[in-house]
Amino acid sequence: MMVTFVSECEKKALNRTRRVLDAFANRIGSRTWQTVITEEGLQAVKKLLRKTATKNTAVACHWIRSRSRSELQWIVGNQDKFNVQGIVPVNYTDGELIMDLLPIKIDSIYANTKKQPLDQHLFAVGYLAFEIINRLMDDKNLARAAFIAGCLHDLGKIDPCFQNWLSDEVKKKILPEISEEGMHIQKPVKFSFENHPRHNEISYLLYQLLDDESHKETNKFIKEAAKHVVYWHHAKPFRNSKKEFSNLDVVYQKLKANIGDSKGFQMLTDTVQPVICSINALADNYFSDDILTIEGILKRANMERIEELDKQQFPQYKRYSEKDKINDYRKFIIENAKTDLCRAAVISADRQVSSINADSLIRLIEERSLDELLDDALLKDGNLSAHIQDCLNAFEHSFPNSERNQQQSLTARRLKDVEGVAVLNGPAGCGKTKIALEWALNSRVKKILWICPRVQVCEGLYREFTDSASDYHLAACIEINTGEFKTLYQNGREVQTPDDQEFSGDIVITTIDQILNTITTHRKVTGLVQYMNAHVVFDEYHEYITMPAFNLLFAELVACKQLQENRANTLLVSATPNYHFVENLLNVHRDDIIGIQSFNPSQYQITFQAFAEKNQDDSNPLYQPQPENTIVISNTATTAQLSFIKNQKTENEVLFHAKYKKADKQIIFDSVFDAFKRNGSRKYDVLRSSPVVQASLNITCQHMVTEFTHAENWLQRFGRLDRFGENSDVNQFIVAIPDSLAIGGKQTSRCARFLNSMSCLQSAKAWNEFLQNRLDGQPVTINQLYEYYEQFYQDEACIRAIEEDLIKALKESVHKIKNKLIDPISIPIKKAPQESGVKIKKHSLRGDNRFVQMAVCEVEDLDRFQFSSDYAYDPEELDANLTYVVEPILGFGDSQQNLLAFMAKKHHNVMGSKKVYNDNILLNEARSPEKPIYLSYTPSDLQKVGGESQRHSHAIYYAIGKRQVIGAIAITQLQLTEEN
């Protein structure tokens, strides 16, 4: 039928009705519309008009029966504006009319099995996403991008295949809860996302085809951010690599084939307009002032763009590329941070809206009370402030009117006054933890996320906050959440954290890996909203600077908080801030780096001692016997192990590194902390360690030896030497430098190659030269040393070396992100892994590790050992597992050293299992503790394949010394001869 609409609306009602009528008919006058429409379409128009009707609304609809006769169909709104025939003066046109045929009914288009109308679901998600951004920060463009993305994210659910499947689902008596992965077609037979696009892919396609690029009200950033979120609000479906959707043309062709040729696709795109129109009508009715609407959507798909779809790629999940200037990386960081936030807001809003039934959704929209759903997404006030105040009062009670307390309080106030992200620069032992707590108290803290670079740092903090004898003991709920530990502590009770209560503590101590999951995975993405709501402390953040991928992703997390400006509530804590990194990559102004002087008056004698790396005797400072109360820190675990073996007969020593099985690592960590903490047991005289103890661990000694390293590591290790200023004698700090580096700075030594692999060799050489030129052989104080450190970052020659290393590290980060950080993928239930227990990620930023098993080797000295009949752990005790880096397992690319290939040849005969003909199968299976890679075999097991002559020459064993476990080590490193 052909109809004419006449509007006699006034005030705001005029614009509201125009949006509805413009979507369905052609305007033929300032207040008149005309079109050809079906009965269903006409009812849709009437319903949309009634949704926005007010006392100023007046619209009449006339059915044009013939050239000379029309018939009033209905009037919406104020009927007094028309007579009984609906007649008023109307405008007219002599131009040719283009009539749209829109056989559309959107009332029965649902978003999910709860029968939420799609238009209402989309508006609610868009509104909540908009409000989440608004409550987190003041960024109108980002908030508008979140609104548009939320209103369009499920537009692809108009797909007839989805609606038909949904119709069958809602007829079932028992409906499953909507999962975090969202609602997607799940048919047991004759359906696969190998051959059909998901609704987020269809939504992205429709946005591309219907986006009016000439529309000026929506800027480029808003559109690009919204499109990114529309596509990435769900993880990609798991597909065969040969059938992976490579571009938008694949989505278009698959969709068109599944819904019945081009005509069916045209019908689908025609449905977009009334859905958008309904969303705008809901927005008009919901908002009283600044109205949010979806603008710039074409009535018809742009057919020219269809021809170019094969050139249209999907948006990258993370966009980074190698650059030669630090500022160029900053652009990527900010762009990724904004899309992180927009995506998190939309997904959080989507999950909140999807959790309620349709009636509740309708009520919340009608009552304009959607904000009720935000309560679960945002933080509530608790008692953390009171608990922190009690802790600080205890310090004041123990040390009344002390200068230390006063200076710490002054520093906390200065940090609170920083408008944005602040940096606390304090020497070791100055009380940075106390200052951070007071900073949080001053800024109305509700929750603290205390983010650390390593598990050992988390453990140290957790002990301080929960130990009743500690100065920092807090009555708040303290939570540790790492890959190894998930524990809640409150009121003297410690319990395992339930799965649904992770990150529920008042203070959550966690590793950066857990927080990075919010921006690198889909499952944890909503945690970014909690991160933005909380006070955040990045402890010992300098460790990320040389860690590939972590430096850029850490900068991304910081950039998210920087967008909050004076609401950032974020503190970066380190004794070694690395001014160049902070100012140039993180974009933190030098004035926002707040320092505090050390209260430690002790004197330190620094000695640089060259040595020949090949020597493992007393000429090597790292292997020399040491006096009581000494810590020796090597750059690698292997050096620490070998020096421990050499001295285990004569020294009362303890060895600590990361190459232990889980149970041994915890026992040794406890022993180290108990022996070397303040007023510790002194059970051991010497600690020999890899770098795992150098940061944040609250231990101390009176004599230290460190291997040559860069400035940050150097000073962090220095911070464990007489940490509490209790030694009246001059403390000795020995820096062991390979002679090749000491003489000419050559890069041929093992130490140089190691530092170069860590992207810190040039800055390490610059620091060594800079410091030696300023020390005159006289003892120095901590404050003098940190003055040198600050001057180091002002020296032009040193800055060139620092920047060279940083650019190298950032380039390696881009390479790792592109190769290790895979796009989030949703695995179908039928393909889900069946193994129980923990499983290593297939792609990990931290490192490529696998579960391993190894035989035990009892080591008595550097030239005496014997092989045991035991393995490192009982295969039935999966919690006692052990992991190892893949690279040495594969022999560093040398087939003669490849332990995986050796296992593939021998293991089935040793263990009586089925032979595996593909090494990669073994490597993949070893991501689960049930199927570890065997790096060595016991003598009895080797007898099954020809005796001990079959032992691999590069086998790795779990060494046990005379007094303690030594850990995993290759027999080639020991340079031993077997004892018979």
Side-chain angles (χ1 to χ4, degrees), residues 624-786:
Q624 288 173 355
Q626 300 296 336
E628 292 183 7
N629 207 355
T630 297
I631 297 178
V632 181
I633 303 180
S634 308
N635 288 342
T636 64
T638 300
T639 301
Q641 288 171 313
L642 295 177
S643 68
F644 176 86
I645 293 170
K646 175 188 175 296
N647 293 283
Q648 66 175 338
K649 288 183 178 180
T650 57
E651 269 186 355
N652 178 25
E653 58 181 352
V654 62
L655 171 68
F656 188 55
H657 51 76
K659 294 183 178 181
Y660 294 116
K661 63 185 181 183
K662 183 178 178 180
D664 288 342
K665 187 188 297 183
Q666 187 60 48
I667 291 171
I668 297 171
F669 176 85
D670 291 343
S671 297
V672 168
F673 186 78
D674 179 69
F676 289 89
K677 68 181 180 180
R678 189 174 193 177
N679 300 321
S681 66
R682 302 301 175 210
K683 178 180 178 181
Y684 302 102
D685 295 333
V686 179
L687 165 62
R688 295 183 181 273
S689 174
S690 67
V692 296
V693 301
Q694 72 187 24
S696 194
L697 193 60
N698 209 10
I699 58 176
T700 185
C701 64
Q702 294 182 358
H703 185 89
M704 177 170 285
V705 180
T706 175
E707 190 169 1
F708 173 84
T709 187
H710 61 90
E712 281 67 41
N713 277 359
W714 196 100
L715 283 168
Q716 289 294 331
R717 296 173 186 181
F718 186 89
R720 309 312 112 186
L721 178 58
D722 193 15
R723 183 174 179 82
F724 305 106
E726 298 172 330
N727 189 10
S728 58
D729 297 330
V730 176
N731 297 289
Q732 299 297 315
F733 187 74
I734 309 297
V735 182
I737 307 176
D739 48 17
S740 60
L741 278 169
I743 296 171
K746 295 182 180 180
Q747 301 180 197
T748 56
S749 66
R750 288 194 302 270
C751 177
R753 291 195 299 271
F754 173 78
L755 293 175
N756 189 52
S757 70
M758 299 293 291
S759 301
C760 59
L761 176 60
Q762 302 309 317
S763 56
K765 289 160 59 178
W767 168 248
N768 178 65
E769 183 179 351
F770 178 87
L771 198 57
Q772 290 202 52
N773 288 338
R774 278 155 181 77
L775 296 175
D776 55 5
Q778 296 300 312
V780 295
T781 65
I782 288 181
N783 287 327
Q784 286 177 305
L785 197 56
Y786 277 92

Side-chain angles (χ1 to χ4, degrees), residues 956-975:
I956 298 172
Y957 282 83
Y958 199 68
I960 297 178
K962 293 180 67 65
R963 294 177 179 157
Q964 76 158 85
V965 173
I966 295 170
I969 189 169
I971 55 175
T972 53
Q973 295 287 352
L974 292 172
Q975 300 177 348

